[in-house]
Amino acid sequence: LIARYSLFTTISATELKRDKSSMIYSSFLHLLPSENIANQKFVSKFVNNIDINMRKFFIFITSTLITLCVSAETIVCTPGKLSGLISDKDVTSLQLSGAINALDFKFIADELKQLQSLDITNCNIEAYSSNKALFGNAHSFKAHEVPAACFADSKISELHLPSSLKSIGEGAFACCSNIEAITLPAELDSIAAYAFTTCTSLSEITLPAKLTIVGEGAFSHCTSLAKVAVDDNNRTDNLVLASQAFLNCTSLADVTLGKHIQSIGSRTFSGCSNPNFAVNISADSQLSEIGEGAFMASGIKTFNFANCPKLSVIPAYAFATSSLTDVAIPETVKHISEGAFFYGTSIASISLADCSASISDLMFAGCKNASTTGLDDSTNEIGKYAYYGWNQTQKLVLPEAV
């Protein structure tokens, strides 16, 4: 097709220049008096301009067709055979259907360095094992899983995952700084550690209803990530957010965890410093555990502990140096650990309910703007440096039991 366009363009240009009795030339001359030499020159110049524009047009069409042929591939695969089906390793857009395995992912990772768009929605990922390690030290790969580290630090900006996908391997898309959006398939049940870490253009993510685990550091350092939502529709299993899952997501503002969140790991939201950072948890949440430093140095202003009836312990440094403004602890919480609200300089009021009996070390150290201490007649122990730095306090009444 391209050859025909090029040939047609060349012939047309030659004929128009050589044969002034061409149809276009003759037609225009018939519209004007033939004895007028000026008119003949005008028509000749006009036809030549048409010829030049025509050539430019067909050159544009030809180059566009060449670009499309070079940069896009649509292929039906059989497992392990993709390398023999790709005609150009500089392909930038690839759509696959059929079945693939870890060997095909390895070929994409090693050979298709210019790939920007990958659509494997209609692919089935089959299991594969080999005596030779493919990614890191991995020899065996599960079905329905994107292999560990297979796209790490790639140029991919657009990604469509298989609808049958069950899991995403460790570091699978780590440092893919061009990915702005991704839809996680409905059947996905696990995201391994650091799967999307440092995807610095990713702006939002919805965690599907069948997902049960977001691995350690899975979305850490995604500095453009502004919104995280858990799909609670028809969810039957609880969700665990492992340690550092969203560490240092500095743009994160809107987190909706729903009702079925079970555990928030240590430092999960630490460093989420956006001043608009907010976490929404539904009433009667299944949340039973918060890890140490879970919201340390974050922009969080409120946390509704009352919506978490299964939460009995607030761990060490959980909200240290955060922007929390009020501490209102319900009766369901029985213990607050060391430094839980350490240097919470925005805290204005403190109400501890059943946790007032024992004030742990450094619990409210540096909370210099609080107007209440949380102490009451039940308090019998105050830990080391529990109220260190309360320079604004002019009077402190200690309970008799202390």
Side-chain angles (χ1 to χ4, degrees), residues 183-260:
T183 300
L184 299 178
E187 298 298 313
L188 188 69
D189 61 27
S190 68
I191 299 174
Y194 305 103
F196 293 94
T197 186
T198 323
C199 288
T200 52
S201 296
L202 186 65
S203 60
E204 64 178 87
I205 197 75
T206 298
L207 304 177
K210 291 188 177 182
L211 189 68
T212 59
I213 177 71
V214 176
E216 179 180 349
F219 294 94
S220 60
H221 306 288
C222 291
T223 51
S224 295
L225 188 63
K227 183 177 181 180
V228 175
V230 174
D231 184 359
D232 253 8
N233 294 328
N234 301 315
R235 175 177 282 276
T236 57
D237 296 318
N238 292 333
L239 176 64
V240 172
L241 301 181
S243 62
Q244 304 182 42
F246 295 95
L247 175 72
N248 288 339
C249 291
T250 53
S251 297
L252 193 55
D254 183 2
V255 178
T256 302
L257 297 180
K259 180 179 179 179
H260 294 278

Side-chain angles (χ1 to χ4, degrees), residues 150-200:
C150 65
F151 293 106
D153 201 27
S154 74
K155 293 183 178 180
I156 287 180
S157 59
E158 183 179 359
L159 181 66
H160 302 278
L161 296 172
S163 55
S164 59
L165 191 68
K166 298 288 187 182
S167 58
I168 296 174
E170 183 172 342
F173 301 98
C175 302
C176 289
S177 57
N178 294 325
I179 295 178
E180 296 181 3
I182 186 170
T183 300
L184 299 178
E187 298 298 313
L188 188 69
D189 61 27
S190 68
I191 299 174
Y194 305 103
F196 293 94
T197 186
T198 323
C199 288
T200 52

Side-chain angles (χ1 to χ4, degrees), residues 297-369:
S298 74
I300 193 168
K301 292 182 174 64
T302 61
F303 188 91
N304 196 337
F305 294 100
N307 280 356
C308 309
K310 294 186 176 183
L311 184 66
S312 61
V313 176
I314 298 175
Y317 302 97
F319 295 89
T321 67
S322 74
S323 299
L324 206 64
T325 57
D326 296 285
V327 178
I329 306 300
E331 294 180 354
T332 50
V333 175
K334 303 303 180 183
H335 179 71
I336 302 175
S337 301
E338 175 184 321
F341 303 99
F342 180 81
Y343 271 82
T345 55
S346 296
I347 293 175
S349 64
I350 299 169
S351 174
L352 298 179
D354 289 352
C355 291
S356 60
S358 177
I359 307 300
S360 299
D361 296 347
L362 296 166
M363 185 188 291
F364 295 108
C367 299
K368 60 183 181 180
N369 293 312

